[in-house]
């Protein structure tokens, strides 16, 4: 079965390769603005955004199974997106320092031929250790936080900020693999 990833995320590509999937990449061009009326239910929000991405790519294909995904970081009901400046990255990391927050990733699969779709989400709690301003600035200076929700990447230098997690590690990276494998089975694609 033809498999398409509707994302330009190198982390998601790497995770799909890690579990042995052959796929194409066709990034979605949808608006990822968070609707105010959905911001209270984060699981529904990320599933909706993932479906929007997968459906926008599937609409232009005659066949194939399209994978859409969306990840958000939530601290005290506030969604922390990708920082738009160095100062914003520092501010986000100061908010996360010494605290826990939640990472939500929505996954959606759309069969381009039939329009059939399935969606799900995963939630993981992440606990940051107490960080000094010097540590935060040193991390921001690496450039790593600038394209990541919440201004950190658990799979890179950001791993040094994290004390522990409760839940799926791959969810924090951006694609909960066990949840994805369960959804793929519903379309007759067995990873194992």
């Amino acid at each position: 079965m033809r498999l398409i990833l509707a994302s330009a995320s190198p982390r998601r590509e790497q995770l799909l390769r890690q579990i042995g999937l052959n796929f194409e990449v066709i990034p979605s061009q949808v608006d990822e603005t968070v609707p105010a009326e959905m911001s209270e239910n984060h699981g529904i929000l990320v599933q909706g955004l993932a479906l929007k991405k997968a459906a926008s790519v599937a609409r232009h294909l005659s066949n194939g199974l399209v994978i859409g995904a969306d990840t958000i970081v939530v601290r005290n009901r506030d969604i922390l997106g990708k920082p738009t400046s160095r100062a914003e990255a520092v501010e986000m990391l100061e908010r996360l320092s010494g605290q826990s927050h939640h990472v939500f990733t929505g996954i959606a699969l759309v069969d381009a031929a039939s329009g059939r779709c399935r969606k799900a989400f995963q939630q993981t709690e992440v606990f940051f250790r107490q960080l000094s301003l010097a540590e935060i600035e040193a991390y921001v200076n690496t450039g790593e936080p600038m394209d990541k929700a919440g201004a950190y990447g658990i799979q890179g230098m950001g791993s040094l900020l994290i004390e522990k997690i409760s839940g799926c590690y791959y969810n924090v990276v951006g694609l909960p693999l066990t949840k994805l494998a369960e959804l793929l089975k519903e379309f007759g694609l067995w990873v194992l």
Side-chain angles (χ1 to χ4, degrees), residues 56-97:
S56 74
V57 170
R59 188 174 8 242
H60 302 288
L61 302 173
S62 59
N63 64 65
L65 186 59
V66 182
I67 302 169
D70 193 78
T71 301
I72 59 171
V73 173
V74 180
R75 169 82 183 118
N76 289 340
R77 296 213 144 299
D78 294 329
I79 296 173
L80 305 180
K82 296 176 183 176
T84 57
S85 67
R86 186 183 181 287
E88 188 178 16
V90 169
E91 178 193 342
M92 283 185 192
L93 293 167
E94 285 178 324
R95 287 181 67 191
L96 298 176
S97 175

Side-chain angles (χ1 to χ4, degrees), residues 74 87-88 146 155 169-170 173 192:
V74 180
E88 188 178 16
M146 300 315 295
Q155 72 285 356
Y169 166 81
Y170 297 106
V173 178
L192 284 180

Side-chain angles (χ1 to χ4, degrees), residues 7-79:
S7 172
S9 165
R11 292 164 293 283
R12 290 188 180 121
E13 285 186 48
Q14 181 181 16
L15 290 174
L16 290 181
R17 282 185 185 36
Q18 178 179 313
I19 60 172
L21 293 178
N22 293 314
F23 60 95
E24 304 167 47
V25 175
I26 304 175
S28 160
Q29 302 299 320
V30 302
D31 176 20
E32 296 183 40
T33 304
V34 176
E37 69 275 7
M38 292 183 70
S39 63
E40 291 303 309
N41 191 327
H42 301 107
I44 290 173
L45 170 66
V46 292
Q47 286 181 86
L49 289 170
L51 181 58
K52 192 175 175 183
K53 291 176 180 182
S56 74
V57 170
R59 188 174 8 242
H60 302 288
L61 302 173
S62 59
N63 64 65
L65 186 59
V66 182
I67 302 169
D70 193 78
T71 301
I72 59 171
V73 173
V74 180
R75 169 82 183 118
N76 289 340
R77 296 213 144 299
D78 294 329
I79 296 173

Side-chain angles (χ1 to χ4, degrees), residues 67-166:
I67 302 169
D70 193 78
T71 301
I72 59 171
V73 173
V74 180
R75 169 82 183 118
N76 289 340
R77 296 213 144 299
D78 294 329
I79 296 173
L80 305 180
K82 296 176 183 176
T84 57
S85 67
R86 186 183 181 287
E88 188 178 16
V90 169
E91 178 193 342
M92 283 185 192
L93 293 167
E94 285 178 324
R95 287 181 67 191
L96 298 176
S97 175
Q99 306 293 321
S100 72
H101 62 276
H102 292 89
V103 177
F104 293 82
T105 299
I107 305 172
L109 300 182
V110 176
D111 182 334
S114 69
R116 180 177 162 222
C117 67
R118 292 289 180 268
K119 58 188 178 178
F121 78 94
Q122 185 83 45
Q123 176 182 348
T124 302
E125 188 171 13
V126 179
F127 299 82
F128 264 40
R129 65 182 178 80
Q130 190 66 47
L131 304 170
S132 69
L133 180 58
E135 289 173 312
I136 289 171
E137 289 178 341
Y139 177 59
V140 171
N141 287 340
T142 68
E144 185 177 273
M146 300 315 295
D147 70 336
K148 293 170 182 63
Y152 74 94
I154 192 171
Q155 72 285 356
M157 293 290 289
S159 62
L160 301 173
L161 313 177
I162 296 165
E163 191 172 275
K164 64 181 178 176
I165 69 168
S166 177

